[in-house]
Amino acid sequence: MQSNSNRDLAVGVFVLLGLGVIAYLSLQVGGLSLREPGGLVLFATFDDIGGLSPRSSVRIGGVKVGRVESIDLDDDLRARVRLNLARDLELSVDTAAAIRTSGLLGDQFVALEPGAEDELLVTGEDFAFTESAINLDKLIGSVVHGEGLGGGD
Amino acid sequence: MRRGLSNLGAATLRQIEELGRMIRFGGRIVMAAGRPPFRWRSFMAAVYDSGLLSVALICAAGLTVGFVLGLQLYNTLVRFGAEDSLGTAVGLSLIRELGPVLTGLLVTGRAGSAITAEIGAMRTGQQLDGLRMMAIDPIHFVVMPRAMAVFFVLPLLSALFVALGIFGAYLMGVEVLGLDGGTYLASLEAAVEFDTDVLQSLVKSVVFGVLLALIATWRGYSCEPHSAGVSRATTSTVVTASIAILLADYLLTALWSL
């Protein structure tokens, strides 16, 4: 009986360990969120989102404050991005959302630049000011053809 | 010519019959699992044998695969100056493919063969017939707890393999090759998603568990009652289960990317 209960203890530890690892892989690595509702949900509309994808991060001054939840086309065929942010985040109504890239070819993320108004954005509202992703192809094209950069002759 | 064709036909029919018998056997295991009493004692013993005793093997294999992945992918990625994506490459390949598949193959060799040999030896020693004499269903008493244990432990072992692989690649990439630890983990967490990657990994390991549990117990249960039969059944378990796992992996991957 003694060896039996030792064995059961070992099996219990093994099962707990396995479930713990599955939970780690799902929650931490896989980014599955158990408390989906409750965050601050805001929308931002862009002409061009570049390589932004769901689960991309949202940052203020480089600090991660949330993630992109989903991306859809709105009625005007512009990209409407749904952002899920930390619940206690206080953003003024003139906060600007821009799509930036970390490094030259790195991941794209939404950068928020806080404004100066006293009024705060509440869940479900849209950002008034947005700035699309920089399209590397267009940028190279404009340099090659001498357009728009004030160069030329 | 005619004779060759009819031989081919007979062999095909035999295979199909064998498959049908195995699937019916699987149905009987499921029925037995739903019929009280559930054999907790034997189930725990089987989880111990198939699961706990495989932990050391799975940990060693996961760590080694992690080292190798870290080293190989680093050497490839560094050519493109993309060594910051090591976490992405390691995480996706381990979680989607290597974790469940290698765990399935290792557990086939370590525990599947043992289950076949054990049940096969019981068949040879007429212990299964003895149980039936005492009005005890051998499928309920012997087969079901072992099959359930394999089915239960495979996802756990697979997750363990993946975690140790990620850790092994971290050790190699960060401690040996000098990457930044935060970058490694951030690129890993940014690339891996629950519903495409982690869920796929779990579904795969569950399917592999079902296949291995069914094949290993069926091969033992249907083995010819002599020592050569036991040895043949054990070999056949390893071969059939390995092929089945690899085929199922391909099918699941193809279905997932539809």
Side-chain angles (χ1 to χ4, degrees):
Chain A
M1 219 43 215
Q2 183 59 40
S3 71
N4 248 355
S5 69
N6 275 344
R7 191 197 63 199
D8 289 357
L9 183 70
V11 169
V13 170
F14 163 68
V15 171
L16 205 65
L17 182 76
L19 292 178
V21 173
I22 291 180
Y24 166 76
L25 289 177
S26 307
L27 299 176
Q28 181 67 32
V29 178
L32 183 72
S33 175
L34 292 180
R35 38 183 184 79
E36 197 64 43
L40 175 64
V41 175
L42 294 172
F43 295 91
T45 311
F46 299 98
D47 291 325
D48 185 356
I49 56 165
L52 196 74
S53 59
R55 287 200 68 219
S56 295
S57 55
V58 180
R59 295 164 191 270
I60 296 177
V63 181
K64 190 174 170 187
V65 293
R67 58 173 35 150
V68 172
E69 211 169 74
S70 62
I71 300 172
D72 297 297
L73 276 183
D74 68 3
D75 298 335
D76 302 331
L77 299 181
R78 299 176 75 213
R80 189 168 154 88
V81 178
R82 185 185 163 103
L83 308 176
N84 193 345
L85 308 171
R87 193 198 316 229
D88 48 357
L89 204 61
E90 294 186 345
L91 293 171
S92 61
V93 287
D94 57 344
T95 300
I99 297 178
R100 301 252 186 273
T101 309
S102 55
L104 187 59
L105 297 169
D107 287 336
Q108 289 190 304
F109 61 94
V110 178
L112 301 182
E113 282 148 30
E117 295 276 338
D118 289 334
E119 212 180 322
L120 297 179
L121 282 168
V122 294
T123 284
E125 286 191 314
D126 281 67
F127 285 99
F129 307 104
T130 61
E131 186 186 318
S132 289
I134 293 171
N135 190 322
L136 211 57
D137 284 346
K138 277 188 196 158
L139 198 66
I140 292 171
S142 69
V143 172
V144 170
H145 301 298
E147 298 162 1
L149 280 184
D153 45 1
Chain B
M1 181 66 193
R2 192 190 155 87
R3 187 181 181 126
L5 272 180
S6 70
N7 279 347
L8 179 69
T12 312
L13 285 178
R14 255 203 317 278
Q15 290 302 321
I16 294 176
E17 267 173 38
E18 168 79 6
L19 190 67
R21 270 198 293 272
M22 187 167 87
I23 290 170
R24 231 175 54 192
F25 179 75
R28 285 167 72 192
I29 299 178
V30 174
M31 302 273 278
R35 198 168 65 228
F38 191 80
R39 309 275 179 185
W40 280 109
R41 292 269 120 227
S42 331
F43 176 72
M44 289 299 255
V47 168
Y48 183 81
D49 284 340
S50 306
L52 205 68
L53 296 181
S54 306
V55 165
L57 170 70
I58 293 296
C59 288
L63 212 55
T64 323
V65 168
F67 287 154
V68 172
L69 273 184
L71 203 55
Q72 292 280 19
L73 291 174
Y74 178 86
N75 284 335
T76 311
L77 289 172
V78 81
R79 291 190 201 182
F80 308 106
E83 64 269 28
D84 284 350
S85 310
L86 184 69
T88 306
V90 167
L92 288 181
S93 46
L94 268 173
I95 290 177
R96 284 188 185 165
E97 290 295 329
L98 293 176
V101 172
L102 287 182
T103 307
L105 296 180
L106 288 169
V107 175
T108 298
R110 165 85 187 50
S113 57
I115 288 174
T116 306
E118 192 185 9
I119 299 179
M122 287 182 187
R123 153 79 62 205
T124 308
Q126 299 188 327
Q127 293 168 31
L128 297 181
D129 299 327
L131 282 173
R132 211 173 276 125
M133 287 278 293
M134 293 185 283
I136 298 173
D137 180 9
I139 291 189
H140 191 249
F141 190 74
V142 174
V143 172
M144 184 272 288
R146 287 170 176 75
M148 284 296 149
V150 168
F151 166 65
F152 178 68
V153 299
L154 211 67
L156 303 179
L157 290 173
S158 165
L160 206 60
F161 186 100
V162 171
L164 274 143
I166 290 172
F167 177 63
Y170 179 91
L171 283 185
M172 182 50 76
V174 176
E175 304 297 333
V176 180
L177 298 168
L179 287 177
D180 178 56
T183 311
Y184 172 83
L185 287 176
S187 77
L188 175 73
E189 284 167 20
V192 177
E193 293 199 38
F194 179 77
D195 41 348
T196 55
D197 307 319
V198 179
L199 195 63
Q200 183 180 10
S201 181
L202 284 174
V203 168
K204 276 182 177 174
S205 58
V206 167
V207 171
F208 298 166
V210 171
L211 287 174
L212 176 57
L214 181 59
I215 291 171
T217 48
W218 169 245
R219 286 286 186 248
Y221 193 78
S222 67
C223 110
E224 293 163 42
H226 46 78
S227 48
V230 175
S231 117
R232 212 173 296 144
T234 311
T235 310
S236 155
T237 290
V238 175
V239 174
T240 321
S242 304
I243 297 287
I245 285 172
L246 293 170
L247 261 180
D249 179 54
Y250 168 68
L251 285 178
L252 285 172
T253 308
L255 282 177
W256 214 279
S257 38
L258 277 184

